[in-house]
């Protein structure tokens, strides 16, 4: 049950990580670049037999940011769980590619992404479940939900399934919405300001992912960074 914290620092950065057989790893990525920064980063994870990876990704900062994260389930019985939070404001441009590639039987994977956009921010989420020939008994799911808070913000969701095996379960779903006036009215009628009500709803939207960070210091840092960003929306 090892926890690894990866605070992205280098603007151009590529890493290959091998998760050995029977390992149980939580890997937390926190991207909080300076507002003027541009970046391109890649993380590739290779899971051996019965390895388990929980990959939690928080993307907040930068002017233009691209992050590619790919999980290769190479050993039988491997499991991958990707959980992603994206908060884009101002004129940010964010491109996230999240792939789970199944190459062995009896593996499970899940990708859950939640995006919040305001201003004229643009975010593209490309999610792929790829199941190769021979990766039978795969169980895989991909879901992306987004709150788009302004007319100029743009959310792009591109889910994909590539299936070359015949005994699998694989599906995807996506949703996009705005804050509901009735929800804001309910909270403001109980003493919250409009800004506080908005922040409370959005914090609740991402909380299930952020609260899953096992390392207390990293969890508190992620909560603080997200709260600060949401308070300025």
């Amino acid at each position: 049950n090892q926890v690894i914290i990866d605070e992205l620092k280098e603007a151009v950065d590529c890493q290959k990580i091998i998760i050995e057989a029977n390992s149980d790893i939580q890997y937390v990525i926190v991207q909080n670049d300076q507002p003027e920064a541009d970046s391109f980063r890649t993380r590739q994870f290779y899971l051996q037999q019965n390895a388990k990876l929980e990959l939690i990704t928080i993307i907040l900062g930068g002017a233009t940011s691209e992050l590619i994260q790919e999980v290769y389930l190479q050993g039988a019985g491997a499991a991958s769980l990707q959980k992603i939070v994206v908060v884009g404001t101002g004129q940010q441009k964010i491109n996230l590619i999240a792939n789970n590639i199944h190459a062995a039987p009896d593996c499970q994977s899940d990708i859950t992404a939640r995006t919040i956009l305001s201003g004229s921010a643009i975010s593209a989420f490309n999610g792929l479940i790829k199941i190769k020939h021979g990766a039978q008994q795969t169980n895989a799911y991909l879901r992306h939900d987004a709150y788009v808070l302004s007319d100029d913000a743009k959310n792009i969701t591109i889910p994909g399934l590539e299936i070359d095996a015949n005994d699998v379960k694989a599906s995807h779903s996506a949703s996009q919405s705005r804050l509901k006036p009735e929800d804001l009215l309910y909270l403001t009628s109980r003493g919250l300001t409009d800004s506080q009500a908005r922040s409370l709803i959005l914090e609740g939207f991402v909380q299930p992912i952020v609260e899953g960070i096992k390392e207390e210091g990293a969890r508190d840092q992620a909560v603080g960074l997200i709260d600060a960003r949401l308070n300025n929306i």
Side-chain angles (χ1 to χ4, degrees):
N1 286 323
Q2 185 177 0
V3 179
I4 299 172
I5 311 300
D6 186 353
E7 295 187 55
L8 302 182
K9 297 183 183 299
E10 299 296 330
V12 179
D13 182 15
C14 301
Q15 291 191 24
K16 175 180 177 180
I17 299 114
I18 297 174
I19 311 297
E20 295 184 351
N22 302 309
S23 298
D24 188 349
I25 302 294
Q26 184 180 78
Y27 196 103
V28 181
I29 295 175
V30 180
Q31 186 269 65
N32 189 38
D33 293 335
Q34 294 298 314
E36 70 280 0
D38 296 326
S39 65
F40 177 88
R41 302 178 174 106
T42 299
R43 294 290 183 274
Q44 293 180 327
F45 299 86
Y46 295 83
L47 277 58
Q48 299 180 357
Q49 186 173 2
N50 294 320
K52 296 181 180 179
L53 171 66
E54 183 180 22
L55 176 58
I56 299 178
T57 305
I58 313 294
I59 299 178
L60 301 173
T64 301
S65 176
E66 180 165 316
L67 175 61
I68 301 171
Q69 51 191 44
E70 298 179 318
V71 179
Y72 295 84
L73 296 97
Q74 296 183 315
S80 167
L81 178 60
Q82 293 198 49
K83 300 177 180 179
I84 301 161
V85 171
V86 176
V87 181
T89 63
Q91 297 180 332
Q92 283 184 273
K93 294 179 175 61
I94 299 167
N95 184 32
L96 172 64
I97 299 172
N99 299 333
N100 282 342
I101 298 102
H102 290 256
D106 301 309
C107 293
Q108 299 183 34
S109 74
D110 188 284
I111 300 174
T112 299
R114 298 191 174 185
T115 297
I116 300 170
L117 299 174
S118 67
S120 57
I122 299 173
S123 176
F125 172 74
N126 295 263
L128 173 67
I129 298 169
K130 184 172 184 178
I131 304 173
K132 295 185 176 182
H133 180 73
Q136 304 292 358
Q137 295 295 311
T138 288
N139 190 348
Y141 184 60
L142 163 65
R143 180 176 181 87
H144 181 222
D145 299 298
Y147 269 116
V148 179
L149 306 179
S150 63
D151 292 336
D152 293 329
K154 186 175 182 180
N155 170 65
I156 303 168
T157 303
I158 308 174
L161 298 175
E162 295 183 15
I163 302 173
D164 291 324
N166 59 10
D167 184 11
V168 303
K169 295 180 181 178
S171 60
H172 62 74
S173 64
S175 70
Q176 177 173 307
S177 61
R178 292 179 177 267
L179 292 176
K180 296 179 181 179
E182 57 267 30
D183 291 340
L184 294 172
L185 178 61
Y186 175 84
L187 293 172
T188 54
S189 68
R190 280 153 178 78
L192 296 181
T193 66
D194 185 70
S195 177
Q196 289 172 332
R198 287 162 58 92
S199 293
L200 185 63
I201 293 171
L202 297 174
E203 288 167 8
F205 178 59
V206 301
Q207 184 178 14
I209 293 177
V210 180
E211 288 298 317
I213 300 174
K214 296 176 182 177
E215 206 283 318
E216 183 178 0
R219 182 174 63 250
D220 291 345
Q221 179 189 21
V223 169
L225 291 171
I226 292 172
D227 287 351
R229 184 61 57 92
L230 293 180
N231 288 334
N232 291 323
I233 287 179

